Amino acid sequence: MPLDLDITRFANLALDPQDDGVWVVTLNRPHKRNALDLATVEELVDFFSTAPRAGVRAVVLRGAGDHFCAGLDLIEHHDADRSPADFMHVCLRWHEAFNKMEYGGVPVIAALTGAVVGGGLELAASAHVRVMDETTYFALPEGQRGIFTGGGATIRVSDLIGKARMLDMILLGRVHQGQEAVDLGLAQYRVEGSSFDKAMELARRAAENLPLTNFAICSAISHMQNMSALDAAYAESCVAGIVNTQPAARERLAAFADKSAARIRPNS
Ligand code: 1HE
């Protein structure tokens, strides 16, 4: 049964559903450079838990203002003076949100601008596609702040750029930007204009795929990365058994068979 995504229950996220099923999700605390406080993380959990069953076809995730996300709300963390157990539970909520994003089955395209730092990079790394513009830069300031990553950077950032480069970023505060960031794998796209416009274009294209196909792409691949090759191959065959025989695919396959479907050509 479809779930309800009532946008009025969200305060720190601004939600803007489009006609084609693409939802624009904006981190909406620009006065705090979209730092992630607990309330925002709970809204991310809520949205990304609900989206796969609410008819959301793709998500563009962006930050209001000049910066995508300044990471952990350091002021909230400072003022709360948390115990180790408290902060472990904070991190578990971050993981809940980011896992729902990565494994939820709905394509998430991050439109990056300005600072994508600390927990902001952990958030961006949980998206399936990252688009950066000329203002975007990536860093892990945890080393200098006297803290450590707690939102999955050890897994996702090292998956993107490798352990040695992640160590360099967090130990030495190295900042990556421009083409170098794309070459390292921090973003798949870099645009001179608006990363949001490009992300919308990509999200609309992804939303044209069948939802069950996108579910497999944006869930199964991540799950299979965590398995042995033997188990991943088995799981892949099970997923393909379901997805590749879905009734909705017959029309597309028939179009290929009757030569009305577009052929794949190199970029001109
Ligand atoms: C914040 C935060 C924040 C800004 N928590 N309030 N993250 C960091 O180490 C990054 C910290 N932030 C910055 O380096 C800069 O703020 C920015 C480069 C992102 C933006 O600079 P700028 O000059 O545009 O803004 P600003 O003047 O530094 O900040 C504007 C306001 O946002 C100010 O509040 P105000 O009330 O004084 O106006 C800042 O305090 C506030 N602000 N960033 C709280 N992060 C699960 S573990 C994850 C571990 C981490 O994420 S560590 C990385 C933390």
Side-chain angles (χ1 to χ4, degrees), residues 18-51:
Q18 311 281 302
D19 289 344
D20 51 8
V22 174
W23 283 57
V24 179
V25 177
T26 307
L27 303 169
N28 203 18
R29 298 207 315 147
H31 55 293
K32 295 292 177 192
R33 306 303 183 257
N34 302 316
L36 296 173
D37 62 351
L38 256 187
T40 305
V41 171
E42 288 305 327
E43 290 190 15
L44 289 168
V45 172
D46 184 356
F47 178 79
F48 285 107
S49 303
T50 313

Side-chain angles (χ1 to χ4, degrees), residues 31-33 35 67 70-75 87 91 94 115 117-120 122 137 141-142 145 147-151:
H31 55 293
K32 295 292 177 192
R33 306 303 183 257
H67 299 282
L72 174 69
D73 188 319
L74 294 168
I75 308 291
F87 196 64
C91 293
W94 283 51
V117 300
E122 294 176 311
Y137 60 98
E142 285 88 340
R145 301 272 182 243
I147 57 177
F148 188 64
T149 67

Side-chain angles (χ1 to χ4, degrees), residues 91-229:
C91 293
L92 287 171
R93 297 308 287 164
W94 283 51
H95 292 308
E96 182 72 9
F98 296 175
N99 289 340
K100 291 288 187 233
M101 276 175 69
E102 183 184 346
Y103 295 87
V106 175
V108 182
I109 319 288
L112 305 177
T113 49
V116 183
V117 300
L121 177 51
E122 294 176 311
L123 173 66
S126 309
H128 303 100
V129 178
R130 281 159 296 283
V131 183
M132 63 183 287
D133 70 12
E134 297 300 327
T135 69
T136 308
Y137 60 98
F138 302 89
L140 292 172
E142 285 88 340
Q144 292 113 291
R145 301 272 182 243
I147 57 177
F148 188 64
T149 67
T154 52
I155 303 136
R156 292 191 183 92
V157 177
S158 61
D159 270 356
L160 290 179
I161 63 174
K163 182 181 74 174
R165 291 197 183 94
M166 186 202 157
L167 271 161
D168 187 22
M169 287 180 78
I170 189 165
L171 188 64
L172 300 165
R174 186 160 176 179
V175 174
H176 291 296
Q177 62 199 75
Q179 187 56 36
E180 181 192 48
V182 176
D183 295 342
L184 292 179
L186 287 163
Q188 292 103 314
Y189 293 85
R190 174 181 171 222
V191 292
E192 284 177 8
S194 155
S195 57
F196 175 68
D197 289 350
K198 182 69 179 176
M200 284 301 291
E201 175 199 323
L202 300 178
R204 290 200 169 107
R205 195 182 312 160
E208 290 170 5
N209 296 343
L210 295 176
L212 191 61
T213 299
N214 278 346
F215 183 83
I217 293 168
C218 296
S219 177
I221 294 173
S222 288
H223 277 291
M224 286 164 193
Q225 291 289 308
N226 302 328
M227 299 178 189
S228 69

